[in-house]
Amino acid sequence: MIKDSDYKRVLDAIASPILIAFPLYDQSKNEIKDFEIEYLNEALSNLTQNLFSVHMKLSECIKDLSETVHWLQIGVECFLTKRSVEKSFYSNLGSCWIRIVVNSMLDGYICLTVSDISKDKENEQKLRNQNMRLAALTDELSTSRNDLKKKFNNIQTLNDQLQFAAYHDTLTNLYNRAWYNKCIASAIDKAARNRGKFGLVIIDIDGIKAVNDSQGLKAGDELLRKAAATLRRLESDTCKAFRFGGDEFIMLNESIVSRMDMKILADTMLSQVKAAGLSISGGISVYPDDSDKAEDLLKYSDMAKSEVKVSGKGRIEFFEKVMKEKFLQKMNIENKLSKAMDSNVFQLYFQPQFDVASGLLRGFEALIRWYDEDLGWISPEKFIPLAEESRLVIPLGDWVIDTALKTLKEWEDKYSFDGIISVNVSPLQLRRSDFIDELIKKVNCYGVDVRHLELEITEGMLIENLLETVEKLKQIRDMGMGISLDDFGTGYSSLRYLQILPLTTLKIDKSFISNISAKDGFEADITESIVSLVSKLGLDTIAEGVETPAQLDMLKKFNCHNVQGFLKGKPMPVDLCERMLKGDTSAVLTINNNTPESL
Ligand code: C2E
Ligand code: MG
Ligand code: MG
């Protein structure tokens, strides 16, 4: 049989502090009012530094462990529910963390097992600190991750912006030439694989140069934006618009079955652009009908566009093979033209003009001639526009004026020539700021009588800077020179020009004259009216391109002052003109002899 003292020895041998207590009842209320210590082992005495002893009330001694813990409540709860209650707290006693487990396993007793959990608490604290540091780190990490994400997003946005800028035009936001190059390469690739077709339309805006010059670049930019917005509305997944540079735009249409689809697109473009108040000219090329190469497709659509520009703007036409031949010829002439300037191959011919009433010589129009060994005679109607494009018309025009003045001087001296030599002046020449000064220098240098000189201008050069042109023409008139308006009837034929320009002569274009003997009398009526009106304004009149006696008769009837044409004399080289000036009438090249048409 194990004795009580043996149990106590066993309990004393246990390292965990243990206390056993039994309840004390308030008889009147029949409730536990306290516990009395029955036993405490040595470990507990050591832990509590002998403050606890047998028979002490738990409420008296236990508060030294912690005043804030309701010991009585814990004891009662444990005693009544027979469930263990656990409590951890920081003890005033020994300044350590203590865990107390209150048990009711002994019948009628409670047993308090006390353990020093400072180490646990320390570890717990360490763990908590570690967790906090971890949380802080995680926070930091997530902040830097957010920062990183933000930076990444910024880089992404920047990248997107750079990408957009690389492939878009800044003014119109349409795709640019770089993107076009990619798209056409992929379109060719796709069409080649699928044996498909696609087409491109290249357009430019009619008259944008005039807007830029007269209203400024901002107004021009506005037109470009307007055109771009219109084209963008026509875009689809398979049809894209590009700004190619300057006022050139391209639409690449990959969803076509036949050429008709391109025609439909072109017509839509024209009508939409017209609705936006613009006019465009353009050309179409189709893969693989015209070529299977990107550069050729572009070149050919551009050729078709150039053709439209020359033959009447405001249209879009398909490329045709003859255009390529024409273009090559044009390139050839352009090449030869720049070389010709250096090699003195031009000649100046003179076409006589006659007074209708008297039949006497009025004077000559100086007309440039160019003979090339490969190409033969090249008409000024072909090479003057090219010389204007390349601005070679300026040195060429200078040469014409020089040669005309030199010839005039010789004729004045040799033949007492008292007639007029008229010289065609290109708009580019007249627009030069030093044109008048240079003209005065030349006139003085050759010492000619300025009254023998007449400059021929066309209405085309009056559209831009009318006032400035009028001012220059006035200065020319003040010098005593004549000014004639050439090709009247082919341009705007504005009667207003006749009032504001300081003209001396009006030349009625040959297109009118060639029809004046027609039955309906339309051209005849107009010519008669022009002659009558112009004569009233005090101007001299010259009918150009008079080829038949019937035309001459009509002009006589209309009181037209002068005639110029193959009937009375073709443009001739200087030596023939001189023979004529000497009185040799057989020298005059007329429509009846066998001179080449190109002369
Ligand atoms: P334009 O100034 O109207 O010159 C008259 C043109 O009509 C000349 O053509 C002349 O040969 C042609 N012609 C004259 N009579 C007749 C005729 O009875 N029937 C026909 N069918 N034609 C006739 P050309 O010499 O070929 O010159 C064409 C145009 O080239 C000129 O038209 C002028 O605009 C320009 N041009 C000629 N020489 C010069 C020049 O030295 N400078 C500039 N800037 N332009 C010039
Ligand atoms: Mg002329
Ligand atoms: Mg003319």
Side-chain angles (χ1 to χ4, degrees), residues 187-207:
I188 289 179
D189 202 41
K190 225 186 291 169
R193 267 187 282 116
N194 305 334
R195 292 169 181 267
K197 256 189 206 299
F198 71 84
L200 58 95
V201 191
I202 185 163
I203 57 148
D204 65 27
I205 303 171
D206 298 331

Short mmCIF file of all heavy atoms in Angstrom, two decimals, residues 187-207:
data_model
loop_
_atom_site.label_atom_id
_atom_site.label_comp_id
_atom_site.label_asym_id
_atom_site.label_seq_id
_atom_site.Cartn_x
_atom_site.Cartn_y
_atom_site.Cartn_z
N ALA A 187 1.52 41.71 -97.63
CA ALA A 187 0.42 41.53 -98.60
C ALA A 187 0.89 40.70 -99.80
O ALA A 187 0.18 39.81 -100.28
CB ALA A 187 -0.08 42.89 -99.07
N ILE A 188 2.11 40.98 -100.24
CA ILE A 188 2.67 40.23 -101.39
C ILE A 188 2.84 38.76 -100.99
O ILE A 188 2.46 37.84 -101.73
CB ILE A 188 4.01 40.84 -101.85
CG1 ILE A 188 3.74 42.18 -102.54
CG2 ILE A 188 4.76 39.89 -102.78
CD1 ILE A 188 4.97 42.92 -103.01
N ASP A 189 3.37 38.57 -99.79
CA ASP A 189 3.59 37.23 -99.28
C ASP A 189 2.28 36.42 -99.25
O ASP A 189 2.20 35.30 -99.76
CB ASP A 189 4.15 37.39 -97.86
CG ASP A 189 4.91 36.18 -97.43
OD1 ASP A 189 5.65 35.67 -98.28
OD2 ASP A 189 4.72 35.75 -96.27
N LYS A 190 1.27 37.07 -98.67
CA LYS A 190 -0.04 36.40 -98.52
C LYS A 190 -0.66 36.12 -99.89
O LYS A 190 -1.12 35.00 -100.16
CB LYS A 190 -0.98 37.33 -97.72
CG LYS A 190 -1.73 36.56 -96.64
CD LYS A 190 -2.75 37.43 -95.95
CE LYS A 190 -2.17 38.53 -95.08
NZ LYS A 190 -3.17 39.50 -94.63
N ALA A 191 -0.65 37.15 -100.75
CA ALA A 191 -1.27 37.00 -102.07
C ALA A 191 -0.54 35.95 -102.89
O ALA A 191 -1.17 35.19 -103.64
CB ALA A 191 -1.28 38.33 -102.79
N ALA A 192 0.80 35.88 -102.73
CA ALA A 192 1.57 34.88 -103.49
C ALA A 192 1.19 33.47 -103.05
O ALA A 192 1.02 32.57 -103.87
CB ALA A 192 3.06 35.12 -103.30
N ARG A 193 1.02 33.29 -101.73
CA ARG A 193 0.67 31.96 -101.20
C ARG A 193 -0.74 31.55 -101.61
O ARG A 193 -0.98 30.41 -101.97
CB ARG A 193 0.79 31.97 -99.67
CG ARG A 193 2.18 31.51 -99.21
CD ARG A 193 2.25 31.34 -97.72
NE ARG A 193 2.38 32.60 -97.03
CZ ARG A 193 1.50 33.11 -96.20
NH1 ARG A 193 0.39 32.46 -95.94
NH2 ARG A 193 1.71 34.27 -95.61
N ASN A 194 -1.66 32.54 -101.57
CA ASN A 194 -3.07 32.21 -101.84
C ASN A 194 -3.48 32.47 -103.28
O ASN A 194 -4.66 32.41 -103.60
CB ASN A 194 -3.99 33.06 -100.94
CG ASN A 194 -3.64 32.91 -99.48
OD1 ASN A 194 -3.09 31.89 -99.09
ND2 ASN A 194 -3.93 33.93 -98.69
N ARG A 195 -2.49 32.81 -104.11
CA ARG A 195 -2.78 33.21 -105.51
C ARG A 195 -3.86 34.29 -105.53
O ARG A 195 -4.82 34.23 -106.31
CB ARG A 195 -3.24 32.00 -106.32
CG ARG A 195 -2.15 31.00 -106.55
CD ARG A 195 -2.69 29.72 -107.11
NE ARG A 195 -1.62 28.77 -107.29
CZ ARG A 195 -0.94 28.61 -108.40
NH1 ARG A 195 -1.22 29.33 -109.44
NH2 ARG A 195 0.02 27.73 -108.48
N GLY A 196 -3.72 35.24 -104.62
CA GLY A 196 -4.74 36.29 -104.49
C GLY A 196 -4.34 37.57 -105.21
O GLY A 196 -3.34 37.63 -105.91
N LYS A 197 -5.17 38.59 -105.01
CA LYS A 197 -4.96 39.89 -105.64
C LYS A 197 -5.00 40.94 -104.54
O LYS A 197 -5.68 40.74 -103.53
CB LYS A 197 -6.17 40.19 -106.55
CG LYS A 197 -5.93 40.04 -108.02
CD LYS A 197 -7.16 40.59 -108.74
CE LYS A 197 -7.38 39.97 -110.09
NZ LYS A 197 -6.35 40.14 -111.05
N PHE A 198 -4.34 42.03 -104.73
CA PHE A 198 -4.59 43.21 -103.90
C PHE A 198 -4.26 44.44 -104.72
O PHE A 198 -3.64 44.33 -105.79
CB PHE A 198 -3.79 43.16 -102.58
CG PHE A 198 -2.31 43.36 -102.72
CD1 PHE A 198 -1.76 44.63 -102.78
CD2 PHE A 198 -1.46 42.27 -102.78
CE1 PHE A 198 -0.40 44.81 -102.91
CE2 PHE A 198 -0.09 42.44 -102.90
CZ PHE A 198 0.45 43.71 -102.97
N GLY A 199 -4.72 45.58 -104.23
CA GLY A 199 -4.49 46.79 -105.02
C GLY A 199 -4.08 47.94 -104.13
O GLY A 199 -4.31 47.92 -102.92
N LEU A 200 -3.39 48.90 -104.72
CA LEU A 200 -3.10 50.10 -103.94
C LEU A 200 -3.45 51.35 -104.73
O LEU A 200 -3.33 51.39 -105.95
CB LEU A 200 -1.67 50.12 -103.42
CG LEU A 200 -0.49 50.04 -104.34
CD1 LEU A 200 0.01 51.42 -104.65
CD2 LEU A 200 0.61 49.28 -103.61
N VAL A 201 -3.94 52.33 -103.98
CA VAL A 201 -4.29 53.63 -104.58
C VAL A 201 -3.37 54.66 -103.96
O VAL A 201 -3.27 54.74 -102.74
CB VAL A 201 -5.73 54.06 -104.21
CG1 VAL A 201 -6.16 55.25 -105.04
CG2 VAL A 201 -6.69 52.92 -104.33
N ILE A 202 -2.69 55.40 -104.80
CA ILE A 202 -1.89 56.51 -104.26
C ILE A 202 -2.56 57.81 -104.70
O ILE A 202 -2.99 57.94 -105.84
CB ILE A 202 -0.41 56.42 -104.73
CG1 ILE A 202 0.43 57.50 -104.06
CG2 ILE A 202 -0.27 56.52 -106.24
CD1 ILE A 202 1.92 57.23 -104.14
N ILE A 203 -2.70 58.71 -103.75
CA ILE A 203 -3.38 59.97 -104.08
C ILE A 203 -2.58 61.16 -103.56
O ILE A 203 -1.76 61.00 -102.66
CB ILE A 203 -4.80 60.05 -103.46
CG1 ILE A 203 -4.73 59.89 -101.93
CG2 ILE A 203 -5.73 59.06 -104.07
CD1 ILE A 203 -5.78 60.65 -101.21
N ASP A 204 -2.80 62.30 -104.14
CA ASP A 204 -2.37 63.52 -103.45
C ASP A 204 -3.44 64.60 -103.60
O ASP A 204 -4.38 64.44 -104.37
CB ASP A 204 -0.95 63.97 -103.83
CG ASP A 204 -0.80 64.38 -105.26
OD1 ASP A 204 -1.80 64.81 -105.85
OD2 ASP A 204 0.32 64.29 -105.79
N ILE A 205 -3.29 65.63 -102.77
CA ILE A 205 -4.36 66.64 -102.69
C ILE A 205 -4.11 67.72 -103.74
O ILE A 205 -3.02 68.30 -103.78
CB ILE A 205 -4.41 67.26 -101.28
CG1 ILE A 205 -4.60 66.15 -100.25
CG2 ILE A 205 -5.49 68.29 -101.18
CD1 ILE A 205 -4.45 66.61 -98.83
N ASP A 206 -5.12 67.97 -104.55
CA ASP A 206 -4.98 68.99 -105.59
C ASP A 206 -4.93 70.38 -104.95
O ASP A 206 -5.71 70.68 -104.04
CB ASP A 206 -6.18 68.93 -106.55
CG ASP A 206 -6.24 67.59 -107.28
OD1 ASP A 206 -5.17 66.98 -107.46
OD2 ASP A 206 -7.35 67.16 -107.63
N GLY A 207 -3.99 71.17 -105.43
CA GLY A 207 -3.95 72.58 -105.05
C GLY A 207 -3.43 72.85 -103.65
O GLY A 207 -3.55 73.97 -103.16
#
